[in-house]
Amino acid sequence: MAEKWWQKAVVYQIYPKSFQDSDGDGVGDLPGITSRLPYLAKLGVDVIWLSPVYASPMDDNGYDISDYRAIAPVFGSMDDFDAMLARAHELGMKVVMDLVANHSSDEHRWFKESRSSRTNPYRDYYYWRDPVDGHEPSNMGAVFGGSIWEWDEMTAQYYLHCFSKKQPDLNWENPRVRDEVYDLMDFWLAKGVDGFRMDVIGMIAKDTTFPSGEPGPTGYSPLWPLINDDQVHVWLREMRERVLSRYDTMTVGECGGATVETAKKYANLDGSELSMVFQFEHVGLTGSPERGKWVTDKPRLSDLKRVFERWETGLEGVAWNSLYWDNHDQPRAVSRWVEASEENRERAAKMLATCLHLMKGTPYIYQGEELGMTNYPFASVEECDDLEAHDAYRMLTQDCGCSHEEAMDALREICRDNARTPMQWDDGPEAGFTTGAPWLPVNPNHAWINAAAQTDDADSVFSHYRRLIELRHESEELFVYERRLGDERMLVVCNFSKREVVFETPSRYVGSRRLANNYSEPAESVLRPFECFALLCTS
Ligand code: TEU
């Protein structure tokens, strides 16, 4: 099966709120992103994954969408989006958007209609249920705390929300909901967007009997048994047939519960569903039944190796892996996966990059990971913005009996705000991110961890990522083979690209006879555009 473009690509995730502010309001925006695209082109990435920029009340920083076809004014205008997309394409980079279709905002027109009356045509766009014995219909807990059910006085029923109560779940059982989603996907693809990262797409199919389970320390039962792992594939195949099949897209599904077996369906190389999935086995290696992910343990290397070994061999030849250490929901890679002092931080960051980028699959770089950016030293939960962090602090101190410091240790280790502090561009005020007051504090270590200090330093973390990306591309651009006859060996090297490509001559051929070359002088360690030569030696 011919390789797809996204199998050779490296993806860079931008969290718009924290990437680059252009108007001094302290919040990143689309013109800011556009101004930094040359930086990404220098890094060499092929695809940008843009976290949501749609209209939103920002209860969950844009993962609560109130209009799927409008840009949030804080990020700019649709013209700003179009300019960013055009510039990215000019620089040879594709752009995939974040499709958040498991739920909308409670401020979306659909939900306002749905909650207005039990007979409203939009009522079944969401899940509404009567009380059971005067209580919530079931005892499952939401990801951001409390019940998955919220009482709505207007029509005296509960509505379902697996995340915050401002994120009501869309009812995918309703074909009109699916039609709406496919239409909005078409809207963005027709604008030239190159695909989607699909937020919690593994959760769109649910056990609509809404069972209860064994309550945990919070008094609620775990959410995950709600997921219907079979039906989701039916709807993804329908999505493929109705929309995706008409475009050359890359799609990556966030599938927290995916296993190697289900990923063979989600990410099958036959193109029937998605290009790839984000699985959560490695990022879920730490945690406890009582505290969930809010622990300070480091993952064991033996466990980490086992996870990647299983996914690399398990999908080989059948489906395609994504490869990632962090994203906007995870702590910073170099703070999370190793115990690195500042003295070893850069070395550790390069090691993590090398380990991940040379595996088989599509690697993802989260903004700032290429600089070795670290977690933030949050002193109090008030310094955190994320609704999940605030819920976690309450759960740890009230349900788990943790002290303030124990709770803060957990937040400093694992909270999502670690990844959301502003991008560190230089050692100047607010790290060059904004001329105003940043929405989240800039890490003080921007004084020495910043892009300006690294982009022209061959030994920097940035340059290491750049070489790894080149390496991935080179393997797509070099045609190298060796022939043997008795003691004689001939190495034939051909650069099929117009780019300079790093190439180290194998030691046995150093100093050997050079023939069939198309440049007069031998290459040092870089092949020039379309360079070819053969080396002849007697072993
Ligand atoms: O995250 C889904 C998800 O897995 C969440 O449970 C999240 O990872 C959380 O931190 C786990 O403790 C997606 C988005 O990536 C996230 O930013 C949103 O908050 C969430 O869905 C709701 O849209």
Side-chain angles (χ1 to χ4, degrees), residues 132-148:
V132 172
D133 302 333
H135 296 290
E136 292 87 351
S138 69
N139 74 349
M140 286 185 175
V143 172
F144 298 146
S147 168
I148 56 172

Side-chain angles (χ1 to χ4, degrees), residues 19-37:
F19 193 63
Q20 177 64 65
D21 174 23
S22 73
D23 58 9
D25 65 358
V27 177
D29 50 46
L30 285 161
I33 291 170
T34 303
S35 72
R36 294 292 185 182
L37 290 176

Side-chain angles (χ1 to χ4, degrees), residues 60 103 144 197 199-200 254 280 293 328-329 388 416:
D60 186 14
H103 49 271
F144 298 146
R197 178 265 189 183
D199 192 60
V200 290
E254 185 193 29
F280 276 46
K293 68 177 186 178
H328 65 291
D329 291 335
E388 184 185 58
R416 304 192 299 181

